[in-house]
């Protein structure tokens, strides 16, 4: 690796001002000062919207930033970045929020981007850049040096990174590094008594690569994964990368603990943009890549239903219902993999390159993280759910500014102990939005009961499966659960939090959506049913202006609703029921908006621009979504009941 790198291409400033973007695309070179305020919170949904992710190679270079929003405009068109000769991208805080999709940095790299300068980066996005050879830095002084024609010392791009990451960057990416590394067969190691540890630190210690001398907070390590899963967007991409690096067929480590889920694209034939934009052929190509891998190797698979109306279930929900166990390491090609942390797992999302490497080595890379303890007293007020707690955390200034990037959220306290496993899964699932590495709840008797009820497993908790009393935490956030209110996130970002009671004016809604991995669980459907059954029993008038869509997270949830008599209630209430699949949450199925004027209230996990169609999306809990569907405007179940008795 040369000691210095010269950048001869142009610099693209992702400004909040669409006119600045237009001028740059037209050939004008701006300075940082001339670009004005940079966009913060640029999500992977904006870098590569799901509707362009029909390929997984250099063809993605046609599309970077086509979903990028400056003001209220989408100023970047197809091939605009590649044709304009940009080599450096510059942005604000929390660049690369959202999905673990490696498609985003691959699109940038394929369009000619070699360096990204931002005030801060999301963990998965920056790790994906490291893995494929895009350089990143938070040092804005390099921009003046690039403008002056200077070569930049390579060490500049290693500052602040752990030693393992530095080695991977020096190697030019993970797979190049991997081919020269030693990969002993993964084997669980006992927890050794020593300095106090958090639960996540203990899990890492039990799974760490045996050549690691000591597990040190802040250092990068490889850990053995108990389960590795991919879904239909990225199985083909991961297999393609694996075969390029290791040949075909590759030798997989423990293939029975590799799981392929067909869930994200299964509802594409019912998705308006996929039909109108002629994307179904691309969906079929991704599905073929997924199925080819599943047939070529003896891995476990969960596919589409026979009638093609949905899937067996969404990957995160099935992982907790069928596979994950307390104390294990679970990784998946999706940022919401922390869902399984509700069982006391270390579960986190990775990109396609990381997954390809893990299939062959059995190991995944992570930095030994700091842990933030979320201590929640109780009880929660009536009608307040785990989703409201997460939306409360998301609107905290320290979280919005990226203060939790890469951290573990360890949830504890009386309010957490009282929650069902389904509710805890909402907390850990949405650590992706909080910017953390993962979320976790120490396993307890409720976890044991969940495993017995759902999977007929007689699981015995072990003494080590909790954080030590004097473990180190970066900070402890105390929340008085009795004071939490039903929350919302205004359109555009999950961090745009506001209490329902603080809305200054009524908000009319056209679409109400309950489902996805976050809100398609049994306890969520208990809430939808409770609200609708109450309204029917009390002859509360249903608005005719709002359509309510409810989507099952898994077919097990569907069967639970059928056995509980919920389906009849939903039919009487005029609900549109959807079989499992990511659907409208990924702008790929029923419940998505079709025009910019439409307003949706949704129980999904994120509401970045374009996430569920061109309309605006408010996030809320299942209770609030169902109540708002009845009223035709944003309201809570409690407000609905009070209005009826007034």
């Amino acid at each position: 690796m040369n000691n210095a790198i010269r950048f001869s291409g142009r610099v693209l400033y992702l400004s909040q001002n669409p006119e600045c973007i237009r001028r740059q695309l037209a050939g004008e070179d701006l300075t940082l000062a001339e670009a004005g305020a940079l966009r913060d919170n640029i999500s992977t949904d904006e870098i590569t919207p799901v509707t362009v992710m029909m390929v997984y190679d250099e063809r993605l270079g046609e599309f970077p930033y086509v979903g990028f929003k400056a003001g209220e405009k989408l100023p970047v068109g197809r091939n605009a970045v590649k044709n304009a000769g940009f080599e450096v991208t510059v942005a604000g805080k929390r660049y690369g929020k959202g999905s673990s999709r490696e498609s985003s940095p691959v699109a940038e790299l394929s369009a000619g981007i070699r360096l990204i300068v931002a005030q801060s980066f999301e963990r998965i996005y920056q790790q994906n850049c490291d893995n494929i050879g895009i350089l990143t830095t938070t040092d804005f002084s390099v921009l003046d040096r690039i403008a002056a024609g200077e070569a930049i010392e390579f060490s500049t791009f290693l500052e602040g990174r752990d030693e393992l990451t530095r080695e991977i960057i020096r190697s030019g990416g993970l797979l190049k590094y991997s081919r020269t590394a030693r990969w002993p067969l993964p084997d669980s190691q006992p927890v050794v008594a020593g300095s106090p540890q958090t639960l996540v630190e203990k899990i890492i210690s039990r799974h760490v690569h045996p050549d690691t001398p000591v597990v040190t907070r802040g250092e990068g390590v490889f850990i053995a994964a108990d389960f590795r899963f991919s879904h239909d967007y990225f199985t083909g991409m991961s297999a393609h990368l694996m075969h390029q690096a290791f040949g075909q067929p590759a030798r997989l480590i423990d293939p029975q603990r590799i799981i392929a889920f067909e869930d994200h694209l299964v509802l594409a034939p019912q998705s308006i943009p996929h039909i109108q934009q002629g994307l179904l052929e691309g969906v079929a190509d991704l599905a073929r890549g997924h199925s080819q891998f599943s047939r070529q190797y003896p891995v476990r698979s969960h596919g589409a239903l026979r009638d093609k109306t949905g899937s067996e279930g969404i990957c995160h929900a099935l992982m907790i219902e069928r596979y994950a166990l307390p104390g294990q390491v679970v990784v998946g090609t999706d940022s919401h993999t922390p869902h399984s942390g509700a069982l006391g797992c270390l579960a986190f999302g990775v990109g396609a390159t990381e997954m390809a490497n893990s299939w062959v080595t059995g190991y995944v890379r992570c930095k030994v993280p700091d842990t933030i303890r979320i201590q929640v007293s109780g009880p929660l007020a009536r009608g307040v759910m785990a989703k409201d707690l997460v939306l409360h955390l998301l609107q905290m200034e320290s979280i919005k500014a990226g203060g939790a990037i890469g951290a573990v959220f360890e949830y504890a306290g009386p309010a957490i102990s009282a929650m069902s496993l389904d509710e805890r899964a909402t907390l850990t699932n949405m650590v992706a939005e909080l910017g953390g590495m993962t979320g976790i709840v120490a396993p307890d008797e409720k976890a044991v009961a969940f495993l017995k009820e759902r999977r007929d497993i007689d699981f015995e908790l072990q003494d080590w499966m909790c954080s030590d009393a004097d473990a180190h935490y970066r900070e402890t956030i105390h929340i008085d659960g009795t004071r939490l209110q039903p929350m919302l996130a205004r359109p555009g970002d999950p961090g745009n939090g506001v209490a329902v009671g603080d809305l200054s004016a009524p908000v009319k809604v056209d679409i109400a959506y309950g489902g996805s991995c976050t809100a398609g669980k049994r306890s969520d459907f208990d809430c939808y049913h409770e609200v609708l059954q109450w309204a029917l029993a009390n002859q509360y008038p249903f608005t005719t202006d709002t359509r309510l869509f409810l989507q099952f997270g898994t077919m097990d949830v569907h069967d639970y609703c059928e056995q509980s008599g919920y389906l009849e209630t939903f039919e009487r209430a005029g609900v549109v029921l959807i079989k499992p699949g990511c659907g409208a949450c990924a702008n790929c199925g029923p419940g998505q908006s079709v025009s910019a004027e439409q307003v949706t209230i949704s129980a999904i996990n994120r509401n970045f621009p374009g996430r569920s169609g061109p309309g605006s999306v408010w996030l809320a809990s299942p209770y609030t979504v169902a109540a708002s569907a009845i009223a035709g405007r944003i309201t809570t179940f409690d407000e609905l009941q009070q209005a009826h008795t007034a």
Side-chain angles (χ1 to χ4, degrees):
M1 178 66 70
N2 295 329
N3 291 326
I5 300 178
R6 193 176 302 277
F7 297 91
S8 57
R10 300 177 62 211
V11 177
L12 173 62
Y13 294 95
L14 294 179
S15 169
Q16 294 182 19
N17 185 343
E19 178 61 19
C20 287
I21 303 295
R22 187 198 65 76
R23 289 163 58 192
Q24 293 177 89
L25 293 176
E28 185 177 349
D29 291 324
L30 304 181
T31 65
L32 178 59
E34 291 169 336
L38 299 171
R39 262 288 314 275
D40 294 330
N41 301 306
I42 296 174
S43 70
T44 52
D45 281 275
E46 296 179 79
I47 301 171
T48 48
V50 293
T51 50
V52 308
M53 291 165 51
M54 300 297 107
V55 293
Y56 45 78
D57 53 24
E58 65 279 356
R59 289 172 291 175
L60 283 164
E62 300 176 19
F63 302 108
Y65 316 131
V66 294
F68 168 75
K69 204 167 188 179
E72 291 303 312
K73 296 184 178 180
L74 300 173
V76 183
R78 184 171 179 175
N79 281 314
V81 174
K82 180 185 286 188
N83 291 345
F86 293 109
E87 197 174 20
V88 181
T89 293
V90 185
K93 298 174 183 176
R94 297 191 67 178
Y95 187 76
K97 284 181 68 170
S99 168
S100 65
R101 65 186 70 165
E102 198 166 306
S103 307
S104 293
V106 168
E108 291 167 310
L109 182 66
S110 300
I113 302 298
R114 298 171 60 204
L115 168 65
I116 300 173
V117 184
Q119 289 176 274
S120 62
F121 294 91
E122 291 292 294
R123 177 193 68 85
I124 299 177
Y125 174 84
Q126 189 172 36
Q127 190 160 314
N128 284 341
C129 287
D130 299 339
N131 288 342
I132 67 173
I134 290 184
L135 298 173
T136 62
T137 183
T138 57
D139 180 1
F140 274 64
S141 71
V142 302
L143 296 172
D144 290 333
R145 296 164 63 191
I146 290 172
E150 294 181 27
I152 311 298
E153 291 294 319
F154 191 76
S155 59
T156 301
F157 308 112
L158 304 179
E159 293 177 4
R161 315 303 297 278
D162 63 83
E163 185 51 41
L164 176 57
T165 299
R166 289 173 181 166
E167 290 182 30
I168 289 169
I169 295 172
R170 290 190 194 104
S171 299
L174 176 63
L175 298 180
K176 292 179 181 178
Y177 169 89
S178 182
R179 288 197 294 268
T180 62
R182 189 180 87 89
W183 301 108
L185 287 176
D187 187 25
S188 179
Q189 303 170 41
V191 171
V192 179
S195 59
Q197 291 183 310
T198 65
L199 176 55
V200 163
E201 289 169 346
K202 291 180 181 181
I203 296 173
I204 290 174
S205 297
R206 286 177 62 87
H207 291 78
V208 74
H209 189 291
D211 290 350
T212 306
V214 63
V215 173
T216 304
R217 198 174 303 113
E219 289 300 312
V221 295
F222 281 104
I223 57 176
D226 294 287
F227 287 104
R228 296 148 285 162
F229 73 84
S230 63
H231 57 65
D232 37 357
Y233 262 123
F234 298 117
T235 303
M237 186 178 194
S238 297
H240 173 71
L241 294 167
M242 178 181 71
H243 292 146
Q244 279 188 327
F246 302 106
Q248 184 174 181
R251 179 176 173 270
L252 305 189
I253 296 296
D254 201 0
Q256 280 298 292
R257 286 179 173 263
I258 296 172
I259 310 168
F261 293 97
E262 187 179 1
D263 62 350
H264 273 58
L265 292 163
V266 70
L267 294 170
Q270 302 176 54
S271 170
I272 294 168
H274 288 78
I275 295 170
Q276 290 183 343
Q277 297 176 34
L279 301 176
L280 294 183
E281 184 177 345
V283 169
D285 285 341
L286 292 177
R288 277 191 290 272
H290 177 89
S291 61
Q292 285 170 4
F293 172 78
S294 301
R295 290 195 303 268
Q296 183 174 4
Y297 296 100
V299 301
R300 296 175 184 259
S301 295
H302 290 277
L305 299 175
R306 288 185 178 180
D307 61 5
K308 305 298 182 182
T309 58
S311 68
E312 292 180 59
I314 301 171
C315 53
H316 313 299
L318 282 173
M319 283 304 302
I320 200 172
E321 288 184 0
R322 304 285 180 88
Y323 297 106
L325 290 172
Q328 291 185 330
V329 171
V330 176
V331 293
T333 56
D334 196 287
S335 59
H336 293 110
T337 301
H339 192 102
S340 293
L343 268 177
C345 300
L346 170 54
F348 57 97
V350 299
T353 296
E354 199 83 52
M355 184 56 63
N357 190 63
S358 78
W359 286 343
V360 173
T361 67
Y363 291 88
V364 293
R365 176 169 60 110
C366 73
K367 181 190 287 189
V368 182
D370 282 338
T371 297
I372 298 172
R373 186 176 175 92
I374 310 297
Q375 184 77 20
V376 189
S377 62
L380 299 182
R382 186 182 68 169
V384 174
M385 301 184 67
K387 183 64 165 286
D388 300 303
L389 171 57
V390 177
L391 293 178
H392 172 80
L393 288 169
L394 277 162
Q395 56 83 43
M396 296 173 61
E397 286 304 320
S398 61
I399 302 294
K400 291 173 68 174
I405 290 176
V408 172
F409 281 74
E410 181 182 293
Y411 294 96
I416 308 302
S417 298
M419 286 183 181
S420 67
L421 263 289
D422 280 353
E423 279 285 86
R424 295 177 188 181
T426 298
L427 299 179
T428 58
N429 177 292
M430 288 193 64
V431 167
E433 283 62 53
L434 292 163
M437 172 192 177
T438 192
I440 197 165
V441 180
D444 58 9
E445 291 306 321
K446 284 198 172 182
V448 172
F450 176 93
L451 291 169
K452 182 62 177 177
E453 175 191 349
R454 304 284 180 92
R455 293 158 58 180
D456 197 27
I457 293 175
D458 294 310
F459 188 85
E460 293 187 14
L461 298 174
Q462 299 178 34
D463 291 342
W464 68 267
M465 292 179 174
C466 62
S467 294
D468 293 327
D470 47 356
H472 170 80
Y473 294 97
R474 181 198 293 178
E475 65 173 313
T476 298
I477 297 175
H478 293 275
I479 295 176
D480 182 352
T482 64
R483 301 183 65 181
L484 286 176
Q485 305 175 57
M487 292 289 297
L488 303 163
R490 295 180 184 274
D493 193 278
N496 295 336
V498 60
V500 178
D502 291 339
L503 288 176
S504 58
V507 178
K508 182 180 181 298
V509 295
D510 304 290
I511 299 168
Y513 186 89
S516 79
C517 56
T518 315
K521 307 179 297 297
R522 295 187 189 192
S523 67
D524 301 313
F525 273 84
D526 289 340
C527 295
Y528 303 135
H529 179 265
E530 181 183 350
V531 176
L532 297 172
Q533 177 64 27
W534 173 86
L536 290 167
N538 288 276
Q539 298 182 326
Y540 194 98
F542 283 64
T543 180
T544 58
D545 296 332
T546 304
R547 297 188 73 193
L548 174 58
F549 297 83
L550 296 180
Q551 182 177 47
F552 306 104
T554 67
M555 285 305 295
D556 288 344
V557 175
H558 170 275
D559 294 346
Y560 165 78
C561 290
E562 186 174 46
Q563 293 160 11
S564 301
Y566 292 178
L567 300 188
E568 180 183 351
T569 299
F570 296 149
E571 182 179 0
R572 291 173 58 207
V575 174
V576 179
L577 294 176
I578 312 168
K579 294 290 179 63
C582 288
C585 181
N587 197 23
C588 190
Q592 61 204 156
S593 60
V594 296
S595 71
E597 292 71 35
Q598 286 185 304
V599 176
T600 296
I601 186 164
S602 180
I604 63 175
N605 39 44
R606 52 182 57 144
N607 59 345
F608 300 129
R611 179 73 186 184
S612 294
S616 57
V617 178
W618 294 72
L619 299 183
S621 76
Y623 270 136
T624 300
V625 166
S628 301
I630 293 169
R633 58 177 174 81
I634 294 180
T635 189
T636 67
F637 185 27
D638 191 49
E639 289 174 346
L640 209 64
Q641 292 172 306
Q642 289 180 17
H644 180 69
T645 57

